[in-house]
Amino acid sequence: MTKLSVNINKVATLRNARGGNVPNVCQVALDCEKFGAQGITVHPRPDERHIRFSDVWELKSKISTEFNIEGYPSPEFIQLVKSVKPHQVTLVPDPPDAITSNSGWDTVNNLEFLKNVVADFQSVGIRVSIFVDTCMKNVEFAAKTGTDRIELYTEPYASNYPSGKEAAVAPFLEAAKLAKSLGLGLNAGHDLSLENLKYFHEIIPWIDEVSIGHALISDALYFGLEDTIKRYKEQLV
Ligand code: PXP
């Protein structure tokens, strides 16, 4: 079964626009769970422009599904994640000022760094996932870090999907097969949507988890959160 983890960063962005507590990020996370989400993802950034470090603590104490924290493994991030102890940490290579994650790791050139970070998180019982593109070398070297999973950066799939879904998914299928043969678990995320998710899952049905934020929260403006989460889960059956 492929789990749907809802990335709630956008909800925090909306809240922060007014400085109060509307919408209530924690309540939205609890409602996502009530409506069927099997996980909650957050990406706390150093400037706390959407998810704040205090949100991470509050979420940890309240949610009951899988908690996934993404981010660049800076010393502050590592300290936060190791003390909060979510089920999973997803390592992304983006610099602190990036609008959103826009590439996977160069695992070849960051092998030693990633090995140490992966071992550090695993030593306190946190599953690790490394965000990578479909370059075979990056998948192969991700496995050498000792990570439990990789998360495939699906932006190129999403942007190429309208002009030809078979060609768009082909490199992802190859990378996913390699990951499987190397014993890695598989997550996927970025720009997945009601338009492109079903086909991705049909071709790569062994994905462990998709993490979806932007499109899902945008769809909720039209369909409501409950209906939207149902629709996303229907793509994954
Ligand atoms: N996975 C990772 C590693 C991300 O950084 C993001 C964006 O924060 C997502 C998944 C979700 O992407 P989207 O918001 O486009 O669904």
Side-chain angles (χ1 to χ4, degrees):
M1 187 193 71
T2 303
K3 286 186 177 177
L4 171 66
S5 184
V6 177
N7 179 318
I8 56 169
N9 276 8
K10 284 277 142 43
V11 178
T13 305
L14 188 57
R15 174 200 61 192
N16 295 357
R18 277 295 171 95
N21 197 27
V22 177
N24 181 319
V25 169
C26 231
Q27 189 56 49
V28 172
L30 292 173
D31 288 333
C32 285
E33 292 184 322
K34 190 168 80 189
F35 300 147
Q38 294 123 326
I40 299 295
T41 293
V42 295
H43 188 149
R45 291 184 185 270
D47 60 7
E48 301 193 303
R49 66 176 181 267
H50 31 63
I51 287 292
R52 301 179 184 133
F53 282 28
S54 56
D55 293 326
V56 177
W57 281 106
E58 196 184 347
L59 286 162
K60 165 71 184 181
S61 71
K62 293 196 174 150
I63 67 170
S64 53
T65 59
E66 187 184 283
F67 193 24
N68 174 43
I69 306 181
E70 322 168 336
Y72 179 81
S74 62
E76 300 74 33
F77 178 84
I78 293 173
Q79 194 192 9
L80 172 75
V81 175
K82 282 177 72 182
S83 26
V84 171
K85 288 203 179 68
H87 301 95
Q88 176 176 271
V89 63
T90 300
L91 308 180
V92 296
D94 48 320
D97 55 346
I99 294 177
T100 182
S101 310
N102 53 15
S103 68
W105 284 95
D106 172 346
T107 52
V108 179
N109 286 306
N110 290 288
L111 180 62
E112 287 311 312
F113 172 66
L114 289 170
K115 256 188 189 171
N116 290 329
V117 173
V118 167
D120 195 12
F121 284 126
Q122 287 174 340
S123 71
V124 292
I126 302 170
R127 186 174 72 228
V128 184
S129 179
I130 291 186
F131 197 46
V132 288
D133 61 22
T134 54
C135 165
M136 292 295 169
K137 272 264 170 275
N138 281 331
V139 176
E140 193 187 318
F141 275 72
K144 291 185 202 284
T145 67
T147 191
D148 303 282
R149 294 187 186 181
I150 56 166
E151 177 178 329
L152 289 174
Y153 172 50
T154 46
E155 190 280 334
Y157 164 72
S159 53
N160 292 326
Y161 180 92
S163 55
K165 57 185 184 179
E166 292 83 3
V169 85
F172 289 86
L173 179 58
E174 290 315 305
K177 281 182 183 164
L178 177 60
K180 195 180 189 182
S181 74
L182 294 167
L184 293 169
L186 186 67
N187 296 342
H190 226 286
D191 291 312
L192 293 174
S193 68
L194 287 177
E195 182 194 11
N196 60 40
L197 179 61
K198 189 176 180 61
Y199 181 68
F200 195 80
H201 181 255
E202 259 167 35
I203 301 297
I204 312 171
W206 65 91
I207 307 171
D208 293 298
E209 177 185 299
V210 288
S211 110
I212 307 182
H214 187 79
L216 188 154
I217 300 299
S218 303
D219 288 332
L221 292 174
Y222 288 90
F223 306 131
L225 193 55
E226 181 167 8
D227 189 21
T228 300
I229 289 177
K230 285 209 180 91
R231 288 178 190 232
Y232 274 82
K233 285 187 69 184
E234 279 164 17
Q235 314 303 306
L236 296 170
V237 291

